Amino acid sequence: MIRHLLVAHDLTPEADVALARAAQLARQHDARVSLLHVYDPGLSASAVKTVSAMLQLKRKEAGLDEDSAIHLFRGQPIDGILQQTRALEPDLLLMGAVARGHLDNALIGQTAERVLEEVECDLLVLKPTNDI
């Protein structure tokens, strides 16, 4: 049973696909959605506020209300995603796939691959598509 979905959102179009799918699944399963953004420790306070505002807009565009929490975590992406996944205990973690180079079919993205090895919940990695 899906009660809580966590979207690791890095402000890319691929992450937007994951957010849209999370919103769809939340409606189907009457589940709550949380967004997580892990930001670089060197990011200024004003830049963090900008990131927060961007995530609020993306949340609204996905049709989610303010009950969908936004979590900002300072650190490295893999460590932050794993730590927050353990702390927030979602039933499903959603991420966008980022494949690069001539091996596009073989790679889901370095961060997603590393998270997959260690995450304790189910992981859904989505590739970009227009069919959401």
Side-chain angles (χ1 to χ4, degrees):
M1 177 181 219
I2 299 173
R3 293 178 305 252
H4 182 204
L5 302 143
L6 176 62
V7 180
H9 203 298
D10 60 359
L11 303 176
T12 62
E14 293 84 7
D16 290 339
V17 171
L19 179 56
R21 182 59 53 90
Q24 179 186 53
L25 289 169
R27 287 187 294 275
Q28 291 171 345
H29 297 275
D30 194 29
R32 66 187 170 101
V33 177
S34 297
L35 280 80
L36 169 65
H37 179 80
V38 181
Y39 64 92
D40 186 274
L43 207 59
S44 69
S46 64
V48 172
K49 286 183 183 181
T50 300
V51 167
S52 179
M54 292 172 72
L55 289 170
Q56 289 173 32
L57 178 61
K58 289 183 178 296
R59 176 180 64 190
K60 184 177 181 180
E61 289 172 348
L64 298 169
D65 59 26
E66 293 182 8
D67 290 338
S68 296
I70 295 174
H71 301 273
L72 299 174
F73 185 86
R74 182 175 173 250
Q76 298 304 312
I78 295 165
D79 296 334
I81 292 168
L82 291 172
Q83 184 175 344
Q84 290 299 292
T85 300
R86 288 183 195 109
L88 298 171
E89 298 181 332
D91 300 298
L92 181 63
L93 171 64
L94 295 92
M95 300 176 69
V98 180
R100 295 183 178 92
H102 67 282
L103 298 175
D104 283 355
N105 293 330
L107 300 175
I108 59 172
Q110 181 180 14
T111 301
E113 287 179 7
R114 295 267 316 275
V115 168
L116 177 62
E117 294 172 6
E118 297 185 45
V119 75
E120 296 174 8
C121 66
D122 289 332
L123 171 65
L124 178 58
V125 180
L126 296 131
K127 65 181 183 176
T129 180
N130 294 328
D131 301 323
I132 296 250

